[in-house]
Amino acid sequence: MSFNSSNGLLSTTTPTMSERDLESGVTSDAAAGKGFDDEEKKKKKKVVDEEEEEEDVEDESDPFDIAQTKNASHNTLRRWRQAALVLNASRRFRYTLDLKKEEEKEQRRRTIRAHAQVIRAALLFKLAGERQIVSGSSVAPPTPSGDFDIAVEQLSTMNRDHNVEALQQYGGVRGLERMLKTNLETGVSPDEADMLNRKNVFGANTYPRRKGRSFLRFLWEAWQDLTLIILMVAAVLSLALGIKTEGIKEGWYDGASIYIAVILVIVVTAVSDYRQSLQFQNLNDEKRNIQLEVMRGGRAVKTSIFDIVVGDIIPLRIGDQVPADGVLISGHSLALDESSMTGESKIVHKDQKSPFLMSGCKVADGVGTMLVTGVGINTEWGLLMASISEDTGEETPLQVRLNGVATFIGIVGLAVAVLVLVVLLARFFTGHTKDADGSVQFVKGHTKFSTALDGVVKIITIAVTIVVVAVPEGLPLAVTLTLAYSMRKMMADKALASISVRRLSACETMGSATTICSDKTGTLTLNEMTVVDACVGKNRINPASDSSELHTEARSLLCEGVAQNTTGNVFVPKTGEAVEVTGSPTEKAILSWAVKLGMKFDTIRSESKVLHVFPFNSEKKRGGVAVKTTDNSVHVHWKGAAEIVLASCSGYLDSNGCVQSIDNDKEYFRGAIDDMAAHSLRCVAIAYRSYELEKVPTDDEALAKWVLPEDSLVLLAIVGIKDPCRPGVKDAVRICTSAGVKVRMVTGDNIQTARAIALECGILGSTAEASEPNVIEGKVFRAYSEKEREQIAHRITVMGRSSPNDKLLLVQALRKRGEVVAVTGDGTNDAPALHEADIGLSMGIQGTEVAKESSDIIILDDNFASVVKVVRWGRSVYANIQKFIQFQLTVNVAALVINVVAAISSGDVPLNAVQLLWVNLIMDTLGALALATEPPTDHLMHRTPVGRREPLITNIMWRNLLIQASYQVVVLLVLNFSGISILRLEHDTKEHATDVKNTMIFNAFVLCQIFNEFNARKPDEINVFDGVTKNNLFMGIVGFTFILQIILIEFTGKFTKTVRLSWKLWLVSVAIGFVSWPLAAVGKLIPVPETPASEYFIRPLRKLRNRGHSSSSSQDH
């Protein structure tokens, strides 16, 4: 099965000329040596492959067969909705994607985007013209507002219209700096009073959000169920007829009891759904709260996007989201993806000619610094977000499949209800239906119309109630219930608070993951980097920060290169406190090392001027900067992957500060790199070269396009950075392996470093495994043809020096082999791989906003152990749903069989409408709450992953279900037909004896479900009580159900049509329920076949369909 994205969001990978040549070469060589035997083998293999593929391929005739809803089209989603048998659409589809709202949202988005496009077109026209087009009137002078010299309306107008003329009239960025009382270098004051003042004058960086649904709305939606409406109509009729025939004193019980039961069902359903919606609301608030870096008081601090104020200075890097409207202060190769606003995927370059930055856009390339000029509702993005409701609906594959199961069960239940209706009506009008005292209910020509109508209403009520019980409306909702519960538990539990789920379906899919492609840095390691080894010239510095071993020239150039070629920052407090270093972990390690060598960060940056920057690129694995020094000389500094930078070097600086040819010493430096890598160190090389000032472009446009020279470099140093393995990572990898989940390391680091870390983490079992293709370089993998990549992908355990595109190719190859792939990523270029994977896991600390938006789950602490927790919870979701299915189907089968057999044989049903509604409440709402909220156990990680096409109802579940349902049916039917004699009620009046017998049937049936709820907890374990006392919700629901059952039997007989039972009969009822425990334990000793039961029915149908397809295709030809 091919899993390539075809939704237009991912570019299709076209093989290069060399790849095509390689593919054709392999084919021709293979064909030349083929014999007849090989051809036969090939045919046999093809047949086997086709059979395997049949099992994986989506069945187009089955609307509920959707392997992955992550990138499913609207037509696919609409198809299964239309095919589902639904009683209450507003409730059933509440947590699915609202397709109508999605279309309305897109329409609004287009309107606002069109506005942005008009502005952009006008701006381009203005810049392209010989002169600026001046509007009818000149820009009004700035109006003071509060403590500031410009009003929010003027800033909003300037931002919205991208009005360069207004910016110039206000004095440019420096003028805005003065009017907004900020500082372009140090930012605003971190004083709380100043922050509050800015929010009062210019607004907060939030937008009005629509209120969530009220409890009354949930009550209204719960009432929309068609069957409940019919029951309420029937209750009104029954009430009217009862009062007319029996008087108001006795006649109101029948109708009122149904009415009260229906209201109870509606209220309990609404309460459950309302609580669930609150959990989703909390989840959405977490998703919106982006953390970003901002300069305040000269210090780079992390803050929430909601706390950004006008006047803030914000550094922008690749992958960041622009958090507010603003003006560019300075930037190098800065390019934004404005598609979220304009709808165009074109990358827009930003410079002093086009300085306006729109909130919500993503940084596609380069670096820059912005001044915030508009926040919240005063931005285009704020208007867009305020105008559309954030529909969090999404369907999960399991939810769609459960709708299919619910539809099938519903159709069977509907057929049974119609059969019961026809049989009961036929028996009633032919005079075969008798009252409890033995009198015939309907005699043609003698029975009053009102009495006959009352009888018909009661029969219709029973039939409709059977439909209520039979159609498991709560089954698909159990998925969202268990997912929401899982999320709430994760957020409440400090040990699990490291996980933020963006797509609920990912948590479910994670339970089926067969492989995890993990980054190394920060995920498998601590991300606490320190320089522990340094090679300067041909000297190994020990300790690495000993500046006395460095020549003055070498130290000066090193400090200049480190200070200027960085996105980090060094803050030296005036109070004499410790120096604060910020930036990425690698940047922090190198900056800290340089500070120890004596680097004066601010002095170096003020004495030399940056001419051009080449931001670090994960494809080239290096970054560079050109600086002009005080003596008007130009230095081009490079920093990056050691062996890549080393390859561009023609010389090195020796211990005397003299440049020496590197030709004879390259092997020494390669040896130094290998030695560092073998000790699990990340190797970074720092190099520079001189450049003629005359050759540097002078105009801004040419300078922006200038390619920094990267040849003839002089090597200054190679540093080895230690990043220790996380303490629990080895155990986490071992747990994954025992759970059948293959862990693969995909890293941009040196292959030697990757191998050493993989051995340390337990990803590689021994050095014997550390050879190709288990350990492979990205460039080797990408050189293979597509077919070869598919064949080799499953053997790869470690990929070193990989680019983001190599990661994407690996994910595609693994998915084509049928693997369910989870991928971790942190960079902007990881977005395609995160999007393509079944589960995209972005890093909360190191991850860019682009990576986070492309992912399904955010690992807030960047820890691999947190990934394993998600696998555990994902498996728990699937297991809990299976427990609920087993429990619900047991109740369905037993209730339907008992009522059908009794109706056909005696013309009456032992379980009346009110009793069936109570049973429905137990299994639908309370049962889901009890079983769908079971916490995960270690037992889950001893199983293999659940396959994409594995049946929801396993053979183990069928065995358990049939044993329990058969037991309940047999016991209750025996009570129905022989209960009077078994319970020794012969001496009572016939009416009382029948009432006691029916009460016993109802009581024993409910108690069987209470006891069976314990069995459903552990479908494949004999000890069903393990950990039961730790689940307070389960124990509470079981206790509540039992107490309510006692109240129904003993105190509400008039409503439920029951009578009080003696303590002996209560003991008998409990004993009947209790038998289900030893019966379940014995039943679990019965072996079940490995082939799923459904396969025996599906295979013949599939063969018939395939024959039909082949015959029709042959006729076409």
Side-chain angles (χ1 to χ4, degrees):
M1 178 179 178
S2 174
F3 292 94
N4 278 331
S5 175
S6 57
N7 59 4
L9 297 175
L10 284 175
S11 59
T12 309
T13 307
T14 311
T16 59
M17 197 66 191
S18 60
E19 284 175 333
R20 289 198 184 101
D21 292 344
L22 182 62
E23 285 176 28
S24 60
V26 168
T27 309
S28 59
D29 289 345
K34 288 283 178 191
F36 178 76
D37 291 339
D38 290 337
E39 287 296 323
E40 284 300 308
K41 284 178 185 173
K42 191 176 177 183
K43 284 177 184 175
K44 284 178 184 175
K45 185 180 184 298
K46 189 180 177 185
V47 171
V48 172
D49 288 347
E50 282 174 357
E51 283 179 3
E52 286 177 358
E53 208 170 301
E54 274 178 7
E55 292 176 8
D56 275 346
V57 141
E58 284 185 14
D59 184 357
E60 291 182 9
S61 64
D62 182 3
F64 302 106
D65 186 20
I66 304 175
Q68 192 182 17
T69 56
K70 185 174 175 178
N71 302 316
S73 68
H74 282 195
N75 285 338
T76 305
L77 300 179
R78 195 175 281 112
R79 202 160 61 98
W80 79 257
R81 285 165 170 72
Q82 291 167 350
L85 175 67
V86 181
L87 301 178
N88 187 345
S90 60
R91 183 170 183 247
R92 175 79 73 87
F93 299 133
R94 180 181 298 132
Y95 296 113
T96 58
L97 188 68
D98 190 325
L99 299 178
K100 190 178 177 184
K101 275 188 183 176
E102 198 66 17
E103 286 164 8
E104 288 172 5
K105 187 194 291 185
E106 191 53 41
Q107 188 59 44
R108 284 201 193 97
R109 217 177 274 233
R110 282 196 205 105
T111 306
I112 293 175
R113 280 171 175 169
H115 182 236
Q117 281 178 309
V118 169
I119 292 165
R120 185 163 167 263
L123 178 66
L124 291 172
F125 183 71
K126 183 190 289 184
L127 294 173
E130 289 286 323
R131 58 188 177 81
Q132 288 189 330
I133 299 170
V134 181
S135 53
S137 60
S138 60
V139 178
T143 308
S145 178
D147 294 336
F148 304 96
D149 298 331
I150 189 168
V152 64
E153 295 81 11
Q154 291 172 307
L155 286 173
S156 296
T157 304
M158 179 187 72
N159 290 331
R160 187 177 62 249
D161 298 340
H162 288 204
N163 195 333
V164 178
E165 184 189 343
L167 178 63
Q168 289 170 350
Q169 189 161 324
Y170 297 151
V173 180
R174 286 290 172 187
L176 289 176
E177 173 191 31
R178 178 181 49 77
M179 288 189 279
L180 293 174
K181 292 182 168 50
T182 184
N183 186 296
L184 297 184
E185 283 75 40
T186 61
V188 299
S189 165
D191 181 49
E192 284 295 326
D194 185 42
M195 295 286 114
L196 189 61
N197 187 28
R198 289 176 186 276
K199 285 180 181 178
N200 289 335
V201 175
F202 299 110
N205 200 26
T206 56
Y207 49 86
R209 292 199 293 270
R210 296 185 183 186
K211 287 183 178 179
R213 294 173 178 170
S214 66
F215 178 67
L216 291 175
R217 175 73 183 271
F218 283 96
L219 274 176
W220 172 255
E221 287 185 358
W223 187 81
Q224 300 300 303
D225 193 310
L226 179 63
T227 50
L228 293 181
I229 293 169
I230 294 170
L231 284 176
M232 291 178 89
V233 172
V236 171
L237 284 172
S238 182
L239 189 67
L241 291 167
I243 291 170
K244 185 181 177 185
T245 55
E246 298 178 42
I248 195 164
K249 192 174 181 182
E250 294 292 327
W252 68 279
Y253 285 116
D254 278 2
S257 59
I258 296 170
Y259 209 84
I260 290 167
V262 169
I263 288 171
L264 182 65
V265 168
I266 289 171
V267 170
V268 172
T269 302
V271 168
S272 173
D273 291 349
Y274 180 62
R275 281 174 55 83
Q276 202 171 326
S277 76
L278 293 178
Q279 290 172 13
F280 276 103
Q281 209 168 311
N282 294 336
L283 192 63
N284 291 332
D285 290 341
E286 284 289 318
K287 279 197 277 187
R288 282 189 287 261
N289 190 12
I290 298 169
Q291 297 293 313
L292 69 156
E293 199 174 90
V294 59
M295 294 297 294
R296 285 186 180 161
R299 183 177 299 184
V301 294
K302 280 270 185 185
T303 189
S304 166
I305 191 170
F306 302 132
D307 293 330
I308 297 297
V309 294
V310 169
D312 265 331
I313 306 300
I314 299 174
L316 298 173
R317 302 181 187 93
I318 296 175
D320 286 351
Q321 177 177 312
V322 179
D325 278 2
V327 178
L328 181 68
I329 299 169
S330 63
H332 298 281
S333 309
L334 186 66
L336 298 188
D337 176 3
E338 295 185 347
S339 58
S340 58
M341 287 304 300
T342 64
E344 295 179 16
S345 57
K346 187 179 176 183
I347 301 301
V348 181
H349 292 273
K350 293 292 174 181
D351 51 30
Q352 297 309 319
K353 290 181 182 176
S354 176
F356 294 101
L357 309 175
M358 285 194 290
S359 177
C361 299
K362 307 292 185 303
V363 180
D365 197 11
V367 291
T369 310
M370 70 174 280
L371 167 65
V372 175
T373 55
V375 293
I377 201 69
N378 298 315
T379 68
E380 292 279 357
W381 181 254
L383 286 171
L384 175 64
M385 289 294 103
S387 68
I388 58 177
S389 61
E390 290 187 51
D391 184 15
T392 56
E394 55 161 310
E395 31 264 90
T396 75
L398 190 54
Q399 195 176 9
V400 176
R401 289 174 73 188
L402 283 172
N403 269 286
V405 172
T407 299
F408 175 73
I409 297 168
I411 290 167
V412 173
L414 202 59
V416 168
V418 170
L419 177 66
V420 169
L421 180 67
V422 170
V423 169
L424 290 182
L425 286 174
R427 289 184 66 96
F428 180 76
F429 286 113
T430 55
H432 288 85
T433 305
K434 297 178 182 179
D435 283 326
D437 58 4
S439 59
V440 176
Q441 288 187 0
F442 179 82
V443 179
K444 192 175 180 181
H446 294 85
T447 306
K448 291 180 182 178
F449 174 77
S450 60
T451 308
L453 182 61
D454 190 31
V456 170
V457 166
K458 284 177 180 174
I459 290 168
I460 291 170
T461 303
I462 289 166
V464 171
T465 310
I466 287 172
V467 175
V468 174
V469 176
V471 179
E473 199 73 0
L475 188 56
L477 290 171
V479 180
T480 42
L481 176 66
T482 188
L483 283 168
Y485 170 79
S486 300
M487 296 309 100
R488 189 169 62 84
K489 289 295 285 183
M490 283 183 187
M491 286 191 282
D493 189 338
K494 287 181 181 177
L496 298 168
S498 53
I499 298 158
S500 173
V501 178
R502 299 189 75 255
R503 284 178 58 89
L504 279 175
S505 58
C507 193
E508 170 200 308
T509 311
M510 199 69 185
S512 301
T514 58
T515 185
I516 300 171
C517 297
S518 173
D519 281 338
K520 176 188 75 70
T521 306
T523 310
L524 297 167
T525 60
L526 280 170
N527 216 8
E528 294 173 0
M529 299 195 185
T530 48
V531 174
V532 296
D533 199 352
C535 178
V536 182
K538 289 181 70 175
N539 296 335
R540 297 292 281 269
I541 310 298
N542 189 18
S545 56
D546 185 1
S547 60
S548 63
E549 294 189 39
L550 294 180
H551 189 272
T552 311
E553 179 71 9
R555 188 172 63 196
S556 172
L557 286 168
L558 265 173
C559 290
E560 181 184 271
V562 171
Q564 291 288 19
N565 190 14
T566 183
T567 54
N569 188 52
V570 177
F571 176 73
V572 183
K574 293 176 182 177
T575 54
E577 294 171 21
V579 174
E580 290 180 22
V581 180
T582 56
S584 71
T586 307
E587 294 279 16
K588 282 165 72 176
I590 294 171
L591 284 169
S592 299
W593 173 67
V595 167
K596 289 173 184 174
L597 292 179
M599 176 184 73
K600 304 294 182 187
F601 186 79
D602 291 331
T603 306
I604 292 170
R605 286 173 78 96
S606 62
E607 287 177 354
S608 53
K609 180 189 175 185
V610 174
L611 299 174
H612 189 55
V613 174
F614 178 83
F616 180 84
N617 185 301
S618 55
E619 290 287 342
K620 289 197 168 186
K621 303 212 178 289
R622 59 185 179 273
V625 62
V627 294
K628 180 182 169 185
T629 61
T630 48
D631 60 356
N632 282 335
S633 60
V634 175
H635 291 163
V636 179
H637 292 277
W638 284 95
K639 179 179 71 185
E643 70 272 24
I644 293 173
V645 172
L646 179 64
S648 301
C649 291
S650 59
Y652 69 93
L653 214 61
D654 66 13
S655 56
N656 298 316
C658 302
V659 177
Q660 302 292 337
S661 173
I662 204 168
D663 294 341
N664 298 325
D665 295 307
K666 265 199 176 176
E667 282 307 314
Y668 169 81
F669 292 112
R670 287 196 189 102
I673 292 168
D674 288 343
D675 181 52
M676 290 180 189
H679 287 86
S680 307
L681 303 185
R682 167 176 278 193
C683 304
V684 175
I686 301 166
Y688 96 109
R689 64 162 290 173
S690 296
Y691 198 72
E692 297 81 4
L693 182 61
E694 304 77 47
K695 291 184 179 179
V696 177
T698 50
D699 66 290
D700 290 344
E701 198 169 326
L703 187 62
K705 294 177 182 177
W706 182 38
V707 178
L708 289 182
E710 50 187 303
D711 58 335
S712 304
L713 302 183
V714 176
L715 182 68
L716 296 175
I718 297 169
V719 294
I721 303 171
K722 181 69 177 173
D723 185 13
C725 272
R726 288 186 179 271
V729 78
K730 197 162 187 175
D731 289 337
V733 170
R734 181 181 48 75
I735 290 167
C736 280
T737 306
S738 65
V741 182
K742 169 88 170 175
V743 180
R744 305 170 202 272
M745 182 201 289
V746 185
T747 177
D749 263 355
N750 183 303
I751 193 77
Q752 303 292 342
T753 308
R755 183 187 284 116
I757 291 284
L759 285 165
E760 199 176 331
C761 293
I763 292 172
L764 287 172
S766 64
T767 49
E769 291 180 26
S771 58
E772 204 171 304
N774 290 345
V775 179
I776 195 170
E777 276 199 339
K779 63 183 180 183
V780 176
F781 180 70
R782 83 178 77 108
Y784 287 126
S785 68
E786 188 177 339
K787 199 71 182 171
E788 286 172 325
R789 284 198 295 268
E790 280 180 45
Q791 290 167 356
I792 205 171
H794 73 287
R795 296 176 63 188
I796 294 172
T797 305
V798 176
M799 188 186 286
R801 280 289 175 246
S802 67
S803 68
N805 192 53
D806 297 332
K807 189 185 283 187
L808 175 61
L809 292 173
L810 179 62
V811 170
Q812 288 172 338
L814 288 168
R815 293 191 73 219
K816 282 176 185 175
R817 290 187 63 88
E819 301 268 10
V820 180
V821 184
V823 151
T824 70
D826 52 16
T828 303
N829 292 336
D830 286 328
L834 291 167
H835 186 275
E836 178 76 1
D838 295 281
I839 313 103
L841 302 151
S842 64
M843 300 295 106
I845 299 170
Q846 286 298 99
T848 62
E849 282 309 312
V850 172
K852 289 174 187 175
E853 285 215 354
S854 299
S855 68
D856 306 301
I857 296 172
I858 301 171
I859 307 300
L860 299 176
D861 61 355
D862 292 13
N863 191 345
F864 183 78
S866 299
V867 178
V868 180
K869 288 174 192 170
V870 181
V871 175
R872 200 162 171 259
W873 275 95
R875 291 190 176 193
S876 175
V877 168
Y878 196 89
N880 286 350
I881 295 302
Q882 286 188 314
K883 293 169 189 176
F884 180 52
I885 291 171
Q886 181 183 305
F887 174 69
Q888 189 162 48
L889 287 186
T890 305
V891 184
N892 273 356
V893 170
L896 292 178
V897 170
I898 291 162
N899 271 2
V900 168
V901 173
I904 292 171
S905 59
S906 64
D908 197 10
V909 287
L911 299 170
N912 61 41
V914 176
Q915 292 167 0
L916 282 173
L917 283 171
W918 169 234
V919 170
N920 183 64
L921 200 61
I922 292 172
M923 71 173 190
D924 217 27
T925 307
L926 298 178
L929 272 172
L931 292 168
T933 55
E934 277 277 319
T937 61
D938 293 334
H939 178 71
L940 292 169
M941 297 304 281
H942 299 150
R943 303 175 180 174
T944 53
V946 178
R948 290 179 194 273
R949 303 286 168 203
E950 208 163 296
L952 271 174
I953 308 171
T954 63
N955 287 354
I956 288 172
M957 290 167 66
W958 277 120
R959 178 196 64 197
N960 299 343
L961 186 159
L962 291 172
I963 288 170
Q964 292 297 326
S966 302
Y967 166 69
Q968 291 176 22
V969 167
V970 168
V971 169
L972 299 180
L973 285 179
V974 166
L975 279 177
N976 187 58
F977 295 113
S978 308
I980 293 174
S981 58
I982 291 170
L983 300 173
R984 297 177 183 176
L985 302 170
E986 298 95 335
H987 303 297
D988 292 7
T989 62
K990 191 169 184 181
E991 186 177 355
H992 183 259
T994 304
D995 286 344
V996 172
K997 178 200 73 176
N998 286 345
T999 303
M1000 268 297 291
I1001 291 171
F1002 170 54
N1003 200 35
F1005 184 64
V1006 170
L1007 289 177
C1008 277
Q1009 309 323 317
I1010 291 173
F1011 279 91
N1012 194 38
E1013 251 178 301
F1014 287 87
N1015 292 329
R1017 288 185 68 246
K1018 308 280 182 182
D1020 54 350
E1021 294 179 55
I1022 290 175
N1023 182 10
V1024 296
F1025 307 108
D1026 184 34
V1028 72
T1029 53
K1030 293 177 184 175
N1031 190 345
N1032 296 330
L1033 188 60
F1034 179 88
M1035 295 302 292
I1037 287 169
V1038 168
F1040 172 76
T1041 309
F1042 187 65
I1043 290 166
L1044 212 55
Q1045 179 65 14
I1046 294 170
I1047 293 168
L1048 288 175
I1049 298 293
E1050 298 297 317
F1051 304 106
T1052 61
K1054 291 266 187 182
F1055 293 101
T1056 55
K1057 298 295 178 189
T1058 57
V1059 292
R1060 289 187 175 185
L1061 297 177
S1062 66
W1063 66 270
K1064 288 180 181 177
L1065 292 181
W1066 268 102
L1067 282 178
V1068 172
S1069 300
V1070 170
I1072 289 169
F1074 179 81
V1075 170
S1076 68
W1077 283 351
L1079 189 67
V1082 172
K1084 285 167 187 174
L1085 300 175
I1086 300 170
V1088 293
E1090 286 186 15
T1091 306
S1094 56
E1095 278 298 304
Y1096 295 110
F1097 301 100
I1098 292 170
R1099 274 180 185 168
L1101 290 171
R1102 191 185 288 146
K1103 284 177 182 176
L1104 280 170
R1105 190 166 65 244
N1106 288 344
R1107 281 176 194 162
H1109 284 315
S1110 58
S1111 62
S1112 62
S1113 61
S1114 62
Q1115 284 171 9
D1116 291 340
H1117 287 299

